[in-house]
Amino acid sequence: MLVTITGKLIRIDPSREMPGSKRKFQRVIVQVSYNDARIKTDFFAVFIYGDDIKAFWSEYNFKHPPHTVEVTVKMNGRLNGNHDNLTLTYKIVKWIYN
């Protein structure tokens, strides 16, 4: 299932090698705030793997970071009571500078 998340990029973890592999991955955290005070702020961890790391950052302006990011992710895993196991894997990113 593909899901689009629009919010603020609040954390960038350094890229690392996956345990037992030379394949690299990186995790970024996107904060989604709502205009309704009754709804809590959500935080989403988006994982980027291999060559997608370079593609994710290709249009990012490090001198003038964007206000908002719109990232489409593939949701993998399953919901299982209190032990949900979901992973959000990056597919498409759009940096919004307005």
Side-chain angles (χ1 to χ4, degrees), residues 8-72:
K8 186 175 196 171
L9 187 66
I10 63 164
R11 181 173 168 180
I12 303 167
D13 289 347
S15 61
R16 302 184 302 217
E17 288 185 356
M18 295 179 68
S21 173
K22 292 196 183 258
R23 186 174 185 208
K24 291 193 177 244
F25 77 97
Q26 184 174 31
R27 181 180 75 161
V28 297
I29 307 293
V30 177
Q31 176 184 357
V32 179
S33 300
Y34 305 96
N35 292 331
D36 188 339
R38 298 172 293 173
I39 303 173
K40 293 182 178 181
T41 299
D42 288 320
F43 298 90
F44 297 93
V46 176
F47 289 86
I48 313 159
Y49 296 96
D51 293 336
D52 286 341
I53 296 171
K54 185 177 179 181
F56 184 86
W57 297 108
S58 67
E59 295 184 21
Y60 186 86
N61 183 345
F62 287 93
K63 293 180 182 179
H64 179 66
H67 294 284
T68 308
V69 61
E70 183 178 285
V71 61
T72 301

